[in-house]
Amino acid sequence: MATQASRSAARLMISPSVILLFLWMAVPLGMVIYYSFRRYRLLNPDRAGWAGWSNYSNFVFSPDFGGALVNTLILVLGVLLLTVILGILIALLIDQPIWGQGPVRILVISPFFIMPPVSALVWKNMFFNPSNGLFGELFKYLGMPPYDFLGQAPLASIVTIVAWEWLPFATLILLTALQSLDGEQLEAAEMDGAPPLKRFFYIVLPHMSRAITVVVLIQTIFLLGIFGEILVTTSGGPGTASTTLPFLIFKKALLDFDVGTAAAGGIVAVILANIVAIFLMKAIGKNLD
Amino acid sequence: MGKISLQKVEKRFGDVSVIPPLDLEVEDGEFVVFVGPSGCGKSTLLRLIAGLEDTTSGKIFIDGADATQLAPAKRGLAMVFQSYALYPHMTVRKNIAFPLKMAGVPQAEIEEKVDYAARVLNLSNYLDRRPGQLSGGQRQRVAIGRAIVRSPSAFLFDEPLSNLDAALRVNMRLEITELHQNLKTTMIYVTHDQVEAMTMADKIVVLQAGVVEQVGSPLELYHRPRNIFVAGFIGSPKMNFIEGAEAAKQDAKTIGIRPEHVTISKDSGAWKGTVTVSEHLGSDTFLHVETDLGLMTVRSGGDVDVHHGDTVWLTPEADKLHRFDDKGLRIA
Ligand SMILES: Nc1ncnc2c1ncn2[C@@H]1O[C@H](COP(=O)(O)OP(=O)(O)OP(=O)(O)O)[C@@H](O)[C@H]1O
Ligand SMILES: [Mg+2]
């Protein structure tokens, strides 16, 4: 199998898919870079010529940019924190031999099967809506004025929705990690005089560190791009209270029709995502080897 | 102090009775070995003593105090697991220090004790490694180190050597025996290897299906096995058993003779047979001889000149014959 001929044959065979994948990535990226230096506003008749770095400075120095950056970080960190902590707790819970374990596990996983805009709409209309939502009813039942979640705490509400969507993923990975823990280690710790809480912090948590790393890395990649949930719930508002970086780019491109600035924003977002990725790999990547 | 006594201890898993009510005394400072075939309940019995399993009924006393309901950590016992159960993310130093840290021992004292244990067990050069970077024997020693530092009233070992290769096993066997002689702490040791049992034990407990078949010193068990099971289990190669007319001549249902108590001759003797296999070990020769009474194993000197197909005569040493009645019990 490893002869010279078979190896070059293998290369020849996989080259179409490799080339296709490369073009798939390189062409859009190249086009975005190209547009980011062009003057290209759909609402302006003068849409030709180079713009230099002005698209970039427009995007970065626009009043919304700093807020969007902070919102993106809050969204990512908030969801990570919620999913990891709740994921560990739920994994610990459903790892116990309980009655109806199978159905419970399927129920825990089910939010993952619902497409993001749908679950965001369900949350918006069924739970958060101050006049018709279940939370509103609960507040009324308790004798308090209903709270307008999406109006008063838009970012926290979106964090809740997204965390609900991603909790099954975190739980599932953490559960498998939990199940791979050698029971004799826990028994040894028990004999060594470690009470349950210390057993958790000294034995269980370090054992799960690799799984937690995987959850954090994978979720960060997806959470940086959260868009649909924001569009169908708050549309980035009120004001810019829940506008994140991807949503800001969307606004530039399809509300302001400024393709050049949106493209520049896209490139900025790509660079920022890479910085986050490098930072993460440095910080927790060592858990993976 | 480390006197352990079990009174009518019973263990069931659901409907399955793994250990029927059982009494056992372990004296202070004794090296007791539980031995028996796989699945006979050795580990279960050890875990009952450790407190990792609840007894179904009966009582466990440690140093005279009722420990039946006591949590494992409160019993003052240390256990060495078959898989070692080291904490993989901690260094050797932290592994050994873990029980002390849990007990809230001051840092200076922890270091002193860890260093002492590391010196005793030849681990001083490995203290900053992780278990994954150690050999099997070293991991075994770390597990023992973690047990020693607690100064327990008794050590519990569950087949600690079964993951090691043969040469290392002999070494570790010696080390554990030496450790016992130095510490003089009670040790309970589980194995299915009767050689380990014979060489290490002060007292052997032979188990079969949760039932204690015999308790005694290695030589007691070797010379006066209480029944056929013990006779067959203790000693290597296995004892030869003969039934029928030859046994009836001795007023027994079954007679047994150990391979080392049969003399072999090329021209005369009690039983005639043909050699099927001869295993030359250098120091000894194990001969498998097909006789009218069945296949017999004979152990003789290393230089005996007998080969496959030879006709030989076997003679048992009369005073070394073991006689058993129809219930399999020894006839005194
Ligand atoms: N948690 C359990 N539930 C049900 N049955 C069990 C459980 N643990 C052990 N058993 C049964 O108890 C019996 C004794 O098991 P144990 O582990 O004590 O055997 P052992 O003598 O240590 O064997 P080995 O030499 O193979 O380790 C076995 O038949 C086993 O199937
Ligand atoms: Mg066992």
Side-chain angles (χ1 to χ4, degrees):
Chain A
M1 184 55 217
T3 64
Q4 194 67 42
S6 68
R7 239 177 300 159
S8 38
R11 276 199 206 119
L12 195 70
M13 294 304 202
I14 60 168
S15 57
S17 54
V18 171
I19 292 170
L20 192 69
L21 279 174
F22 180 74
L23 291 179
W24 202 272
M25 185 200 79
V27 170
L29 185 67
M31 283 176 71
V32 173
I33 294 176
Y34 170 74
Y35 283 130
S36 73
F37 289 106
R38 299 289 292 181
R39 188 172 300 122
Y40 194 5
R41 299 183 174 197
L42 298 179
L43 294 181
N44 195 328
D46 171 30
R47 55 177 96 118
W50 296 96
W53 290 95
S54 70
N55 283 332
Y56 285 89
S57 57
N58 276 348
F59 186 80
V60 173
F61 295 118
S62 79
D64 299 346
F65 177 72
L69 210 58
V70 172
N71 285 345
T72 309
L73 283 181
I74 293 177
L75 179 66
V76 172
L77 292 180
V79 174
L80 282 179
L81 216 63
L82 276 178
T83 49
V84 169
I85 292 176
L86 291 178
I88 290 175
L89 293 179
I90 295 177
L92 283 173
L93 206 64
I94 59 179
D95 190 33
Q96 310 293 321
I98 47 169
W99 188 81
Q101 198 175 39
V104 166
R105 285 186 184 175
I106 291 175
L107 279 179
V108 167
I109 300 164
S110 55
F112 213 44
F113 299 137
I114 301 171
M115 44 218 100
V118 174
S119 57
L121 281 176
V122 168
W123 274 90
K124 177 184 180 177
N125 295 321
M126 202 168 120
F127 292 110
F128 288 153
N129 190 308
S131 39
N132 305 321
L134 288 177
F135 289 161
E137 288 297 322
L138 182 70
F139 275 68
K140 270 184 252 169
Y141 176 77
L142 294 173
M144 289 187 284
Y147 186 76
D148 181 8
F149 286 91
L150 289 170
Q152 308 279 353
L155 202 54
S157 305
I158 291 172
V159 167
T160 309
I161 296 171
V162 178
W164 182 80
E165 285 168 10
W166 280 92
L167 194 53
F169 171 77
T171 307
L172 214 59
I173 291 195
L174 296 172
L175 178 66
T176 46
L178 204 57
Q179 287 170 335
S180 73
L181 177 60
D182 174 17
E184 283 198 345
Q185 268 179 44
L186 286 177
E187 288 180 341
E190 193 180 349
M191 294 217 55
D192 283 344
L197 217 54
K198 284 197 174 156
R199 287 208 288 277
F200 174 75
F201 282 109
Y202 282 101
I203 313 293
V204 179
L205 208 52
H207 173 79
M208 293 209 289
S209 64
R210 181 189 299 235
I212 293 174
T213 311
V214 169
V215 169
V216 168
L217 286 178
I218 292 181
Q219 285 201 31
T220 306
I221 295 166
F222 283 96
L223 295 178
L224 281 171
I226 289 289
F227 173 77
E229 291 87 334
I230 301 174
L231 183 71
V232 301
T233 51
T234 63
S235 286
T240 58
S242 57
T243 296
T244 60
L245 215 46
F247 200 81
L248 185 62
I249 294 168
F250 160 77
K251 276 210 263 193
K252 296 281 179 209
L254 296 170
L255 301 181
D256 301 350
F257 298 107
D258 184 348
V259 177
T261 305
I267 296 301
V268 170
V270 168
I271 293 169
L272 287 178
N274 275 293
I275 292 174
V276 170
I278 291 169
F279 175 75
L280 271 181
M281 286 308 284
K282 279 249 155 69
I284 57 177
K286 65 177 190 310
N287 282 342
L288 287 180
D289 27 78
Chain B
M1 279 296 288
K3 183 174 154 47
I4 297 169
S5 104
L6 309 187
Q7 294 183 0
K8 302 248 174 323
V9 167
E10 183 187 7
K11 180 67 188 175
R12 306 169 151 276
F13 289 110
D15 292 339
V16 192
S17 172
V18 175
I19 311 237
L22 169 154
D23 293 294
L24 187 69
E25 296 289 329
V26 177
E27 299 300 332
D28 184 31
E30 229 174 6
F31 198 120
V32 177
V33 173
F34 294 171
V35 67
S38 185
C40 71
K42 306 178 294 286
S43 298
T44 307
L45 191 56
L46 200 70
R47 292 164 58 82
L48 284 172
I49 296 173
L52 295 172
E53 301 277 0
D54 292 323
T55 56
T56 307
S57 67
K59 289 202 177 307
I60 298 172
F61 292 89
I62 298 175
D63 290 333
D66 186 351
T68 318
Q69 302 298 333
L70 225 50
K74 300 262 159 56
R75 300 191 181 195
L77 309 175
M79 184 147 167
V80 175
F81 292 83
Q82 182 172 358
S83 66
Y84 315 141
L86 300 178
Y87 311 130
H89 52 277
M90 299 184 197
T91 59
V92 169
R93 185 189 302 281
K94 288 202 175 135
N95 261 284
I96 298 179
F98 189 74
L100 300 173
K101 194 169 163 190
M102 290 301 115
V105 175
Q107 191 61 37
E109 199 182 330
I110 291 185
E111 270 166 37
E112 189 185 319
K113 286 195 171 172
V114 170
D115 284 339
Y116 169 76
R119 237 178 312 118
V120 172
L121 295 165
N122 276 327
L123 283 170
S124 301
N125 294 332
Y126 308 105
L127 280 177
D128 294 314
R129 293 210 198 163
R130 299 209 173 176
Q133 301 163 314
L134 298 178
S135 73
Q138 289 163 345
R139 282 182 215 179
Q140 181 61 64
R141 284 203 283 268
V142 176
I144 295 175
R146 197 172 61 186
I148 298 184
V149 287
R150 294 176 53 200
S151 319
S153 55
F155 291 97
L156 311 177
F157 293 93
D158 191 356
E159 307 206 19
L161 307 186
S162 56
N163 289 342
L164 304 180
D165 66 53
L168 197 53
R169 208 180 296 179
V170 175
N171 261 341
M172 289 302 300
R173 207 163 76 197
L174 283 175
E175 281 186 34
I176 293 178
T177 312
E178 255 169 46
L179 192 71
H180 178 244
Q181 276 155 8
N182 293 337
L183 297 175
K184 302 199 168 49
T185 311
T186 312
M187 292 191 177
I188 302 182
Y189 187 104
V190 163
T191 179
H192 59 252
D193 179 356
Q194 59 94 23
V195 177
E196 271 174 33
M198 293 296 282
T199 49
M200 301 172 87
D202 293 325
K203 185 158 102 184
I204 297 181
V205 177
V206 182
L207 291 166
Q208 184 188 207
V211 179
V212 176
E213 295 286 353
Q214 189 169 5
V215 179
S217 74
L219 290 183
E220 236 172 278
L221 262 55
Y222 177 81
H223 290 301
R224 297 187 58 79
R226 208 173 67 83
N227 56 28
I228 290 188
F229 178 78
V230 177
F233 198 81
I234 300 290
S236 167
K238 245 181 91 159
M239 187 186 277
N240 299 300
F241 293 108
I242 300 159
E243 293 186 351
E246 195 65 29
K249 271 196 240 163
Q250 310 271 355
D251 294 329
K253 175 84 191 337
T254 311
I255 53 172
I257 184 77
R258 294 195 186 277
E260 51 271 42
H261 298 147
V262 179
T263 46
I264 189 161
S265 149
K266 282 194 174 172
D267 26 69
S268 64
W271 305 320
K272 183 173 177 240
T274 317
V275 175
T276 54
V277 179
S278 64
E279 299 171 318
H280 294 272
L281 303 183
S283 59
D284 294 304
T285 308
F286 296 150
L287 299 166
H288 299 265
V289 182
E290 188 67 57
T291 70
D292 299 338
L293 304 167
L295 193 65
M296 307 250 287
T297 314
V298 178
R299 173 178 179 174
S300 66
D303 42 9
V304 63
D305 187 25
V306 178
H307 296 279
H308 170 76
D310 291 358
T311 301
V312 292
W313 296 85
L314 306 178
T315 316
E317 295 173 30
D319 56 336
K320 297 282 169 58
L321 267 179
H322 301 266
R323 300 182 305 139
F324 302 98
D325 65 16
D326 50 359
K327 290 197 198 71
L329 290 176
R330 177 184 192 81
I331 304 171

